[in-house]
Amino acid sequence: MPDRPRRPRLRRALLAALVTFAVAVPVSGAARPAAVPAPAPPTALGPLRDAGQAALARRYAVSRHDIRAAGRTAAEHGDLRRAASLRGMAEPGRQFLAFDGRDGGRSTEVVGELSTARRIAVLVPGAGVGLDAYWRLRRDASALQRELGEGAAVVAWLGYRTPATVSPAALTTGRADGAAPGLRTLVDGLRAVRPAARISLLCHSYGSVICARSAPGTTADALVLYGSPGAGVPDAAALRTGARVWAGRSGGDWIARVPHVRVRVPFVATVGFGTDPVADRFGAEVFDAGDGGHSDYLLPGSRSLTNLARIAAGAEPLGASR
């Protein structure tokens, strides 16, 4: 008897998953930003080991060269949108720790001064973020860095091929499983070069699944899941992390309507990410994320931006639920 109320929800979730798979497969196949060619970076930069200004300047210069090369290749390929985005990314003053334009693109950009940072926030984006609209990730990183103020650096980490918002890949942990080691390596590198800095992982939407996969043993001080469809674990304890775990969802975020279940679709995959991170039974500390939409968490002047910055700074968020 106690299980009976769950069955209709599971059936609805399964139906939603099957419908999504049926619709998303042709949609995701039609738009292929990963197909835009790019040259292999000629210089392997390796893990971050030196955050001195001279060493960082060399990394930034190498990455700028690689971005410009990818932009030329995109223009020759006829993809003017990609080429324009890459021109913007290669502008003087931009600071990329790493860049690889292949397979949809990978990049790690620093906003602020990493060599002296006392607070470092790593932005981990979700589905639908890529090189063609990279300006949105840059906008969010800049807004957060301004909110954090002097002594803070924000690292915008596009370290994986993000799934399309409506796609089979956005419903499973496959991309997250592949991305997590790279995120863990980045955090380890930041900790090595700035051992006294406070490091926070700010994980939006599908990015929260990646952060959950990289959480065991992380040296980050805080793990923040916001706009999350679920983290792929039943509760915060299953993350096996010493980081303080926070969760938030804004009042206008459509992700609240996503079924928080995990369903095995025969012959395909396990679909869904389980427990809602803002639910009591997940066990995260819940912060007030305001009333914005799914893409509005880092809008200037928003309650969500204020509280995300406060958490990254080591302060208590305003109006925390628990």
Side-chain angles (χ1 to χ4, degrees):
M1 290 296 291
D3 291 337
R4 187 169 296 172
R6 285 181 55 82
R7 290 173 184 166
R9 291 199 298 270
L10 289 172
R11 282 196 292 269
R12 287 196 297 270
L14 177 57
L15 178 60
L18 290 173
V19 170
T20 303
F21 266 75
V23 172
V25 168
V27 170
S28 60
R32 295 177 54 84
V36 181
T43 304
L45 290 172
L48 183 64
R49 292 191 174 93
D50 187 346
Q53 289 185 338
L56 289 174
R58 287 193 294 271
R59 288 185 74 104
Y60 297 155
V62 169
S63 295
R64 185 175 299 111
H65 177 273
D66 293 343
I67 293 169
R68 287 172 174 164
R72 290 191 294 270
T73 300
E76 292 167 0
H77 183 68
D79 196 313
L80 301 184
R81 182 183 181 189
R82 175 69 58 86
S85 180
L86 292 171
R87 281 196 300 273
M89 294 171 71
E91 288 178 354
R94 301 289 289 271
Q95 302 177 146
F96 285 84
L97 292 171
F99 176 84
D100 187 339
R102 297 172 296 173
D103 189 35
R106 312 285 189 274
S107 66
T108 305
E109 183 176 14
V110 176
V111 180
E113 183 50 66
L114 183 59
S115 65
T116 57
R118 300 185 303 275
R119 300 177 303 280
I120 302 172
V122 181
L123 287 185
V124 182
V129 179
L131 294 183
D132 291 341
Y134 181 82
W135 63 269
R136 292 184 295 181
L137 183 57
R138 164 72 181 196
R139 174 200 63 192
D140 288 348
S142 298
L144 179 60
Q145 199 278 331
R146 286 193 299 269
E147 189 76 15
L148 282 165
E150 186 179 355
V154 176
V155 179
W157 183 77
L158 185 61
Y160 73 114
R161 182 156 64 92
T162 64
T165 303
V166 181
S167 70
L171 298 172
T172 70
T173 65
R175 297 281 175 90
D177 293 335
L183 179 58
R184 190 179 296 112
T185 297
L186 171 64
V187 173
D188 288 346
L190 293 171
R191 178 60 70 199
V193 299
R194 299 297 300 160
R198 175 179 173 81
I199 300 176
S200 303
L201 291 176
L202 273 54
C203 318
H204 179 238
S205 194
Y206 188 84
S208 62
V209 188
I210 299 172
C211 288
R213 288 296 192 265
S214 71
T218 184
T219 59
D221 299 287
L223 183 66
V224 190
L225 315 175
Y226 61 103
S228 174
V233 293
D235 52 39
L239 294 171
R240 294 183 289 122
T241 180
R244 193 173 178 183
V245 180
W246 291 90
R249 185 172 62 230
S250 59
D253 191 340
W254 56 262
I255 206 78
R257 298 190 294 274
V258 172
H260 290 282
V261 296
R262 300 199 75 189
V263 180
R264 176 69 187 176
V265 179
F267 311 111
V268 182
T270 298
V271 176
F273 305 109
T275 311
D276 186 347
V278 301
D280 288 342
R281 65 191 178 96
F282 189 81
E285 299 184 70
V286 177
F287 67 93
D288 181 0
D291 297 317
H294 187 64
S295 301
D296 299 337
Y297 287 90
L298 293 169
L299 286 182
S302 65
R303 172 57 70 95
S304 52
L305 173 60
T306 296
N307 278 340
L308 286 167
R310 289 179 68 86
I311 293 169
E316 293 297 306
L318 303 176
S321 300
R322 61 178 186 273

